[in-house]
Amino acid sequence: MADPSDMDKDGISGEPSYGELPSFLNVLPNAIPKNGKYIHRFGKKAAAYNLLHQTVNAYSQDIGISSAFAPKDVYSGQEIDPEISNLTINNVVFYLQTLKAPIQRDQNDAQIQQGKQTFIDLGCQGCHRQTLKTGLSPIDALSNKTFHPYTDLLLHDMGSGLDDGYTEGSAKTSEWRTPPLWGLGLSPNSQGGQYFLMHDGRARSIEQAIDMHGGEAEGSKNRFKKLAQGEQADLIKFLKSL
Amino acid sequence: MNKWLLIFAIILEAILIVSCERITPKLPADDQILDGPIDGLSSAEKTRFLAGDVAFNDEIFTRETGLGSVSWPQVAEAAMPVMARGHCLRP
């Protein structure tokens, strides 16, 4: 899926995020390093290698809970006693790994099927890839499974409008990992009935979010704008069914 | 007498059936379940899933159990020159 130099000339040049591994992480089988770095896929800029990495960072950096994995206080740099056990962190990681993914609703609805076709025609699938397949996993139920996250898990340049001025891992300031779209239509249920889309929640509707796409997604956005109102409605209904 | 008892029993049963239908919600469809595990987990894995579920969803951290920085006052003091004015609110 990666196409850093846009060999296929579709204007989309996704590339994996590479980063160094913290000492508490084990390299997955078949992982291929590049200059000592490994592909990271988790987080908005894909700065985490796996769910253990993501979870440890979330406890430590987001809420200030230290662990044996990350014993340093993020502000002072002082090493402190773990405030959460490794067992609890590993259980949370297992929970996140095995939590059921949202399933698309009303798949046979004609408007939704039309919207899906429009999604493909506009080129949205260039980044929001419908189907991926897992590799081997120590959890049997996760091995070699086909799933539908609507992401390629790659970094893409989203243009100056979404440039936050920060780099993270190998992601540049305007690069973001394609966010999965599964569960998109359900997200308002847990957000007081509102959408908060894009990396900082600035888009309050799916239409606004599409309008904020730039960079590699500029072409798809412009094609969306040229659609008839009914075609746009089909696409939005499809996205809300995810 | 037996006839009236039978009628009463039938009415009572009907009321109970209707009540149960109202009290017991229908099982949600597969695409509405968002907090369960994937299919195919062993019973040990399901137990582990539940332990993770509790830790993720039910554990409430406070300052006493580690929420936030241990050196918050120092951080606040360090931030004061940047803020130029104002006061550090100690916890």
Side-chain angles (χ1 to χ4, degrees), chain A residues 170-199:
Chain A
S170 62
K172 300 180 184 78
T173 56
S174 62
E175 284 185 328
W176 300 92
R177 187 214 58 181
T178 310
L181 296 181
W182 60 5
L184 175 63
L186 299 170
S187 59
N189 296 352
S190 55
Q191 297 173 162
Q194 295 240 1
Y195 281 105
F196 295 95
L197 303 172
M198 310 312 282
H199 64 277

Side-chain angles (χ1 to χ4, degrees), chain A residues 37-56:
Chain A
K37 296 179 177 179
Y38 291 87
I39 293 178
H40 286 34
R41 294 191 174 94
F42 293 86
K44 292 183 190 295
K45 292 212 178 202
Y49 180 64
N50 60 12
L51 281 174
L52 176 60
H53 195 187
Q54 175 76 16
T55 303
V56 167

Side-chain angles (χ1 to χ4, degrees), chain A:
Chain A
M1 287 186 294
D3 182 20
S5 49
D6 193 18
M7 298 287 278
D8 60 6
K9 305 289 178 201
D10 65 352
I12 298 171
S13 51
E15 57 184 323
S17 169
Y18 281 91
E20 289 171 357
L21 295 190
S23 59
F24 62 84
L25 289 181
N26 296 318
V27 178
L28 296 170
N30 305 324
I32 302 168
K34 184 178 173 185
N35 300 325
K37 296 179 177 179
Y38 291 87
I39 293 178
H40 286 34
R41 294 191 174 94
F42 293 86
K44 292 183 190 295
K45 292 212 178 202
Y49 180 64
N50 60 12
L51 281 174
L52 176 60
H53 195 187
Q54 175 76 16
T55 303
V56 167
N57 282 353
Y59 272 116
S60 167
Q61 296 172 13
D62 296 347
I63 54 177
I65 304 292
S66 64
S67 63
F69 297 119
K72 283 188 179 173
D73 179 68
V74 284
Y75 295 104
S76 67
Q78 295 167 359
E79 202 159 303
I80 58 174
D81 289 338
E83 293 162 325
I84 192 167
S85 71
N86 286 7
L87 176 65
T88 300
I89 286 190
N90 283 323
N91 284 341
V92 167
V93 170
F94 189 86
Y95 166 73
L96 297 172
Q97 286 174 315
T98 55
L99 186 62
K100 200 171 197 168
I103 299 172
Q104 188 187 0
R105 277 96 42 224
D106 305 319
Q107 291 185 44
N108 297 322
D109 180 286
Q111 196 185 353
I112 287 174
Q113 288 183 341
Q114 184 55 51
K116 183 176 181 180
Q117 188 56 51
T118 304
F119 182 82
I120 295 165
D121 294 343
L122 294 182
C124 308
Q125 274 232 101
C127 304
H128 291 287
R129 195 69 65 112
Q130 179 188 355
T131 301
L132 299 177
K133 192 175 178 187
T134 63
L136 279 176
S137 167
I139 304 165
D140 278 349
L142 291 175
S143 278
N144 300 313
K145 297 289 184 208
T146 299
F147 61 111
H148 309 292
Y150 288 89
T151 175
D152 57 6
L153 299 172
L154 298 174
L155 294 173
H156 295 274
D157 181 351
M158 294 302 291
S160 57
L162 293 173
D163 187 331
D164 71 343
Y166 291 95
T167 58
E168 201 177 355
S170 62
K172 300 180 184 78
T173 56
S174 62
E175 284 185 328
W176 300 92
R177 187 214 58 181
T178 310
L181 296 181
W182 60 5
L184 175 63
L186 299 170
S187 59
N189 296 352
S190 55
Q191 297 173 162
Q194 295 240 1
Y195 281 105
F196 295 95
L197 303 172
M198 310 312 282
H199 64 277
D200 53 3
R202 66 178 75 173
R204 296 304 175 87
S205 69
I206 294 174
E207 291 88 337
Q208 272 185 20
I210 293 171
D211 197 44
M212 289 172 184
H213 280 58
E216 296 175 36
E218 186 82 29
S220 295
K221 175 185 72 178
N222 291 337
R223 287 189 284 277
F224 173 78
K225 284 180 165 179
K226 288 178 185 166
L227 292 175
Q229 210 170 0
E231 292 172 310
Q232 289 188 353
D234 293 345
L235 179 64
I236 300 298
K237 188 168 182 185
F238 161 67
L239 291 170
K240 286 183 175 176
S241 77
L242 297 178

